[in-house]
Amino acid sequence: MIGTGTRQIYTNLTTTGIKELLYTEGALLVAVHTNTNFQLYTTGIFNGCPANAADNLNHAVLLIG
């Protein structure tokens, strides 16, 4: 939640882990590295980020369940 001073960083979450967090915590703010692959995304689970994406985050996305 913005403004509470609470921040938790998760890396390498599985789909199940993300679903569990959405269920227990609500909407999640996540950061992603976008590139041409992301611009061409249309449906499903996006897995086209490069291996070093965590060092080059450039977009914020709100996940809601």
Side-chain angles (χ1 to χ4, degrees):
M1 293 179 11
I2 295 177
T4 64
T6 302
R7 180 179 83 166
Q8 181 66 39
I9 298 174
Y10 299 95
T11 58
N12 300 321
L13 284 173
T14 63
T15 302
T16 300
I18 293 170
K19 288 179 183 179
E20 289 174 3
L21 283 171
L22 284 169
Y23 180 76
T24 59
E25 304 295 329
L28 303 172
L29 180 62
V30 298
V32 296
H33 171 80
T34 61
N35 53 24
T36 304
N37 294 330
F38 192 79
Q39 292 172 345
L40 300 175
Y41 166 78
T42 57
T43 186
I45 297 172
F46 179 75
N47 60 5
C49 291
N52 67 342
D55 297 329
N56 204 9
L57 302 173
N58 58 11
H59 279 71
V61 179
L62 182 65
L63 293 181
I64 58 172

